[in-house]
Amino acid sequence: MENRKQAILRAVVNEFTTSAVPVGSQSLHSRYFLNLSSATIRTELAELADLGYLSQPHTSAGRIPTDSGYRYFVDFLMDLEEVPERVRGFINEEVRRHYDSAALGLEKELLGRVVAALDQYEQGAENLVVHDGVRNLLRQPEFAESSRLQQVLEVLEETRYLTVLLRELIGNSDLQIVIGSENASSQLQGCAVVLTTYGPSNHLKGVLGVIGPTRMAYSQTVARLRAVARSASERMAELGV
């Protein structure tokens, strides 16, 4: 993809992730591309749509990323967000506290509590999606209809699907991002799933995951999920688990 198209796609993803509102040429011009005319931006948006990376919900509306657009962003344009020191310190403190105060055989439950605590710590941060429950999903406009949320919860309770997904992750890499239509389950085709492994390097202990709408702050999600996994792995190594 040409550099200008990459820059515009990145800007559309960033804007739509924050606002949940289709992105138009005027807002891109005023916020990102003062050196480009609105007409030039409109042309680029149309070409990105023709390539399958953007779509237009309504004739008069701006553009939103497609699953292919998010995939291109994740694979080629995403720069992981730097985890703030205060958040990193909070993660380390919660991991240490929970591992030191509970039975070591409950790693899955403990880390679920850690990521839930991280969510509570960042109450009000709209894009924080490291979470083990449904509270954040309820805050997203994509799940305003209870039926959509119910579909997601049904899949999460279906252990066969999660088992297949975890096996794919363990077999391929320590990070897996499944976006929209890439999900094997039709109920999750409006969602993104981010998974990473944790545990001492010589022995895999488990998998941490985040699920949310495809309109996800991927750079923040991946960075913070990895921070939780890294902290848990280090603590487990210290304890010889």
Side-chain angles (χ1 to χ4, degrees), residues 95-112:
V95 168
R96 180 174 293 274
R97 182 165 66 88
H98 287 306
Y99 266 109
D100 289 351
S101 63
L104 295 177
L106 300 178
E107 292 94 347
K108 181 178 179 181
E109 177 184 340
L110 294 174
L111 289 178

Side-chain angles (χ1 to χ4, degrees), residues 189-210:
Q189 291 190 359
C191 299
V193 180
V194 182
L195 299 169
T196 190
T197 57
Y198 71 93
S201 57
N202 62 338
H203 186 56
L204 175 67
K205 288 294 183 180
V207 177
L208 292 172
V210 170

Side-chain angles (χ1 to χ4, degrees), residues 156-201:
L156 293 180
E157 293 173 356
E158 178 54 66
T159 57
R160 287 183 303 169
Y161 173 73
L162 294 179
T163 299
V164 170
L165 201 58
L166 297 182
R167 284 177 178 169
E168 289 178 355
L169 169 66
I170 294 170
N172 293 332
S173 68
D174 65 349
L175 177 69
Q176 178 115 335
I177 302 176
V178 187
I179 300 172
S181 57
E182 298 171 356
N183 281 291
S185 170
S186 60
Q187 292 101 315
L188 289 183
Q189 291 190 359
C191 299
V193 180
V194 182
L195 299 169
T196 190
T197 57
Y198 71 93
S201 57

